[in-house]
Amino acid sequence: MKFSIGRIGEARILPVLKDTVPQGMEELFAYLKERELFSGAKGEIFFDLGLHGSNTLLVGLGEADKLDAQAYRQSFYKAGTEAAKARLTQVTVDLPKFPQICYRTAVKAAAEGLYHSAYRFDKYLSQEKKKPVLEEVAFQIVAGTEDKVTSALAEISNILDGIDLTRSLVNEPAEAIYPETLAKAAQEALTPLGVEVEVKGLEEIKALGMTAFLAVARGSAREPKLIIMRYRGASEDQETIGLVGKGLTYDSGGYALKPAASMAAMHTDMGGAGAVIGAMSAIAASKLNRNVTAVVAACENMISGEAYKNGDIIRSMSGKSIEIGNTDAEGRVTLADAIYYTATKENVSSIIDVATLTGAVIVALGSHYTGAVTNDQAMMDEFKLASDLGGEKVWQLPADDDYRDMVKGKRADLLNSVKGGAGSITAGLFLENFTEGKKWIHLDIAGTSAYDAPHGYRPAGATGIPVQSLYYFCKGDNDQTRCC
Ligand code: BES
Ligand code: MN
Ligand code: ZN
């Protein structure tokens, strides 16, 4: 979606606060009120485009004292959906300035809602079935805000491009995105933005001693790839943030085979990898003055005569041994090596891992919140500011020694699948064993990375969560009380 400042198309979208009347529209609003057609309630729409209709799409922003970025995202998602129903491909947004919210924030959130309304993964549909979508949006803005709006639109465009990249990778079936093509996609998207992308194949992964990663990968006919993406926006003496994404391009469960119904969506089990690649795109395109290194250990979890087995005891790159109670708890096994590699070989000062790790996080939080586990509260607090700014909800799970004890093994140092409940916490704390004491946050996006059905202002399929949180975290300085 293209954003600009000015006017475009035959219709405009006008956001309206509840029970208020935009200047010059007194007559229309008296009529709308009398007929109870429009009050400005959040997400409410009034639009009569046509031969003699008005060319203004009214959208309610809800109550003035509850006005926030989420209200803009939700309302503009609705407005974009209605505009597309009217077969508009270009539209002007007439954006008033309300004192309750920073104008930059409002512009970005409106753009985001419109973008989500137009997202389709329809490349495999025959031409006749495709419906027109909004392609170009121009913002008619308050005088004197050109500079602010220009930079806000540039930033949100870079973020939305990152989200779009994540989505296009996550929505692809496993026949299209497997380790080699995932690595290629990362190279193609990130190299032009100045990110160094290094891809290691089987022999190099063996040479690194990533035996846990290789145990999972070994049942598949597809070669595993270790994808390392380095962005240097600051000098080498500045610290580097490490991002690690779970990169299971398919998770059949292995010998702990999943039933068909839950296996069918497992092409999305590289949602963490997709998110860190998308975040790197947003970070590099915006030229953030930070150093960030992202790592993905990409493979498939399959069945074959070579595959690892339930009951196996394997070694990891760190030297710690792992008892495989369940081959379907494979994500943490690959991440053990990916995190250890990042902590010891990439000179990072902190690590965020992002993973579609457990069904248990869906039991706990559904599709609305990402679950988080951390060993550093200050880092977590910073991350929460970033996720708030991006409208990507995160819930921190408790993590203490009672849970830490649960992942300790008897036959091996660690257990990959633990009885006794709290599956998302124990999965996270399993990973903690490979962080080498670095500041660390684990994000379980099993419920938030891809939706079965639309929720709020996001359509079904890959969501792009948590690209915005990662972007704003890396950018830093997210205290909204200092907003314009
Ligand atoms: N990839 C799955 C988790 C998942 C479930 C992601 C649903 C998205 C939607 C993961 O590898 C897995 O299978 N986890 C097991 C762990 C268990 C065997 C300890 C699970 O959650 O059932
Ligand atoms: Mn699994
Ligand atoms: Zn998995």
Side-chain angles (χ1 to χ4, degrees):
M1 186 175 284
K2 249 187 84 193
F3 300 110
S4 61
I5 293 174
R7 295 191 134 268
I8 198 170
E10 48 186 309
R12 66 166 183 159
I13 296 173
L14 179 66
V16 182
L17 286 171
K18 189 159 181 358
D19 299 327
T20 64
V21 179
Q23 227 177 19
M25 299 182 88
E26 290 76 10
E27 204 186 343
L28 173 66
F29 270 65
Y31 171 85
L32 294 176
K33 190 174 178 188
E34 191 194 310
R35 305 274 167 123
E36 295 184 2
L37 287 170
F38 184 83
S39 68
K42 191 155 72 184
E44 197 180 21
I45 300 282
F46 180 80
F47 192 24
D48 77 72
L49 182 75
L51 214 44
H52 303 291
S54 115
N55 65 344
T56 301
L57 191 164
L58 301 174
V59 58
L61 280 176
E63 285 162 33
D65 57 354
K66 293 190 184 127
L67 187 62
D68 59 8
Q70 287 299 85
Y72 277 85
R73 291 181 179 111
Q74 287 159 0
S75 303
F76 277 86
Y77 175 78
K78 281 268 184 77
T81 307
E82 291 302 316
K85 277 189 202 156
R87 305 202 160 250
L88 298 173
T89 55
Q90 300 178 321
V91 75
T92 298
V93 172
D94 194 340
L95 201 71
K97 194 171 187 315
F98 298 115
Q100 298 89 331
I101 185 164
C102 157
Y103 201 51
R104 282 182 56 100
T105 304
V107 166
K108 289 199 306 191
E112 196 189 329
L114 292 170
Y115 156 78
H116 281 295
S117 78
Y119 181 80
R120 302 277 182 283
F121 183 72
D122 58 6
K123 62 184 274 198
Y124 292 102
L125 286 178
S126 317
Q127 209 59 35
E128 314 83 74
K129 286 192 188 150
K130 291 190 185 174
K131 298 210 176 84
V133 291
L134 210 49
E135 285 160 9
E136 277 187 78
V137 177
F139 284 86
Q140 202 178 357
I141 58 171
V142 173
T145 61
E146 284 76 10
D147 289 354
K148 263 187 201 172
V149 173
T150 302
S151 75
L153 287 177
E155 183 175 42
I156 196 68
S157 294
N158 291 336
I159 293 172
L160 296 177
D161 285 348
I163 288 176
D164 220 69
L165 173 61
T166 302
R167 280 185 155 158
S168 63
L169 295 172
V170 176
N171 282 330
E172 285 285 354
E175 277 310 284
I177 290 291
Y178 46 90
E180 187 185 340
T181 52
L182 182 65
K184 270 215 187 88
Q187 261 162 339
E188 271 165 27
L190 300 179
T191 311
L193 297 173
V195 178
E196 181 202 335
V197 181
E198 187 186 345
V199 180
K200 293 185 190 288
L202 183 62
E203 290 311 316
E204 290 162 290
I205 298 167
K206 276 186 186 161
L208 280 167
M210 301 181 83
T211 45
F213 172 29
L214 288 171
V216 175
R218 155 179 116 194
S220 165
R222 309 270 199 204
E223 187 187 356
K225 300 283 181 189
L226 182 68
I227 311 166
I228 305 143
M229 295 152 273
R230 302 184 187 92
Y231 170 73
R232 294 293 172 266
S235 58
E236 277 299 330
D237 60 335
Q238 299 288 304
E239 59 172 32
T240 299
I241 299 168
L243 305 178
V244 179
K246 172 173 170 180
L248 266 290
T249 58
Y250 196 69
D251 177 15
S252 72
Y255 276 98
L257 192 64
K258 286 182 186 293
S262 42
M263 201 193 295
M266 282 300 136
H267 61 283
T268 65
D269 210 20
M270 35 58 72
V276 303
I277 294 168
M280 289 303 269
S281 162
I283 289 164
S286 289
K287 299 191 165 58
L288 293 191
N289 85 43
R290 294 276 188 266
N291 298 329
V292 188
T293 295
V295 173
V296 170
C299 69
E300 288 183 332
N301 185 22
M302 300 294 280
I303 285 178
S304 82
E306 302 281 317
Y308 81 146
K309 304 169 191 72
N310 300 299
D312 274 357
I313 295 174
I314 61 167
R315 286 248 169 238
S316 63
M317 184 182 181
S318 74
K320 291 177 183 165
S321 60
I322 303 168
E323 180 176 350
I324 304 300
N326 190 322
T327 58
D328 197 13
E330 84 300 332
R332 69 197 75 182
V333 180
T334 64
L335 287 166
D337 280 356
I339 291 172
Y340 184 81
Y341 167 86
T342 307
T344 58
K345 304 282 185 200
E346 291 292 335
N347 194 28
V348 298
S349 53
S350 59
I351 294 175
I352 299 179
D353 81 75
V354 191
T356 50
L357 204 61
T358 65
V361 82
I362 307 174
V363 176
L365 303 173
S367 287
H368 301 301
Y369 279 77
T370 293
V373 173
T374 185
N375 64 2
D376 191 287
Q377 195 57 46
M379 181 179 176
M380 189 70 224
D381 292 343
E382 279 295 317
F383 188 83
K384 279 183 190 153
L385 292 176
S387 70
D388 276 354
L389 202 54
E392 299 175 334
K393 294 191 276 194
V394 175
W395 195 260
Q396 186 182 349
L397 302 169
D400 62 38
D401 290 347
D402 285 337
Y403 296 111
R404 284 191 179 89
D405 288 341
M406 291 169 75
V407 302
K408 289 181 185 152
K410 288 201 177 73
R411 298 174 70 219
D413 298 329
L414 295 162
L415 284 171
N416 86 322
S417 97
V418 178
K419 294 196 181 69
S424 305
I425 300 171
T426 54
L429 290 176
F430 174 94
L431 299 177
E432 187 188 34
N433 289 284
F434 302 92
T435 57
E436 293 297 288
K438 305 263 176 185
K439 292 185 281 185
W440 158 80
I441 296 171
H442 159 67
L443 299 173
D444 192 335
I445 56 167
T448 51
S449 165
Y451 291 163
D452 300 338
H455 286 301
Y457 56 89
R458 293 184 182 92
T463 61
I465 291 172
V467 167
Q468 295 214 54
S469 310
L470 297 174
Y471 169 85
Y472 286 118
F473 178 82
C474 290
K475 185 181 178 195
D477 199 19
N478 292 313
D479 190 343
Q480 283 299 284
T481 55
R482 289 195 303 275
C483 186
C484 64

